[in-house]
Amino acid sequence: MLEVRNLKKFYGKKEVLKGISFEVHRGEVVSLIGLSGAGKTTILRCLNDLEKCHEGYITIEGDSLIKQEGDIFSYSSKEEIKRYKRKIGMVFQNFNLFPHLNVIENIIEGPVSVLKMDKNEAEKKAGELLKRINLEEKAKEYPFQLSGGEKQRIAIVRACAMNPKVLCFDEPTSALDPDSKRQVGEIIKELAKKDNRAVLIITHDMDFAKNISDRIIKIREGKIV
Ligand SMILES: Nc1ncnc2c1ncn2[C@@H]1O[C@H](COP(=O)(O)OP(=O)(O)OP(=O)(O)O)[C@@H](O)[C@H]1O
Ligand SMILES: [Mg+2]
């Protein structure tokens, strides 16, 4: 589903990604592990078009972000990038919820403003998603009223509301207690296995990675080892 080939990226003269290649299939959970500074976050930021890449090929089911033909590297057309970006979603380490919007408003913001979904329909879908994670009663609360684990689950639901085929998580459990960690692990597995998405996770937690992943990819100094 997600295909990454020979991805390279520089910060100034420093090469931080030195030709990364991997795939994540539908229904699969893949974890990226590696020491601090290895390049894990940079990979996710490149995949989500938050950083510029300098070489390689990234595609999701026929729509590419970047491509490489021989020596010629290019970004895809605006339209193709737009289609690509509709297929990928990211849950950030610090959740990135909008502080001035309540839970339901946070979830429907993307579907209404980007996908042009009808507001009532978006609210109905958001309610169903909240039910799945047992947080229906938090619909009208604001982010500051939620625990870390609740914020993480809301951030996951918000990403799912856009119905991406590929979902990326940067350190989804770093701020969580063991119970919340287990819950988030179950949700992530379900997103892959039940909803048939491709899931890509960065984690420092080896037990968590072993528990939820089909495959683990180790990154060292910008390369897969
Ligand atoms: N904006 C930036 N400008 C310059 N160098 C950067 C920038 N962001 C990251 N780097 C460098 O790129 C390399 C990879 O960083 P990255 O954040 O991808 O590591 P990471 O594997 O996610 O580490 P961690 O586990 O600590 O989150 C590091 O050497 C880092 O210093
Ligand atoms: Mg990181």
Side-chain angles (χ1 to χ4, degrees), residues 4-8 17-22 55-57 66 68:
V4 179
R5 264 202 333 251
N6 198 31
L7 176 63
K8 295 191 181 172
L17 301 180
K18 301 172 181 169
I20 298 279
S21 302
F22 65 90
E55 209 177 304
Y57 181 86
I66 55 171
Q68 181 88 37

Side-chain angles (χ1 to χ4, degrees), residues 96-113:
N96 273 12
L97 294 173
F98 302 114
H100 58 292
L101 300 181
N102 70 28
V103 164
I104 276 281
E105 290 164 345
N106 259 284
I107 299 171
I108 68 170
E109 202 274 336
V112 171
S113 71

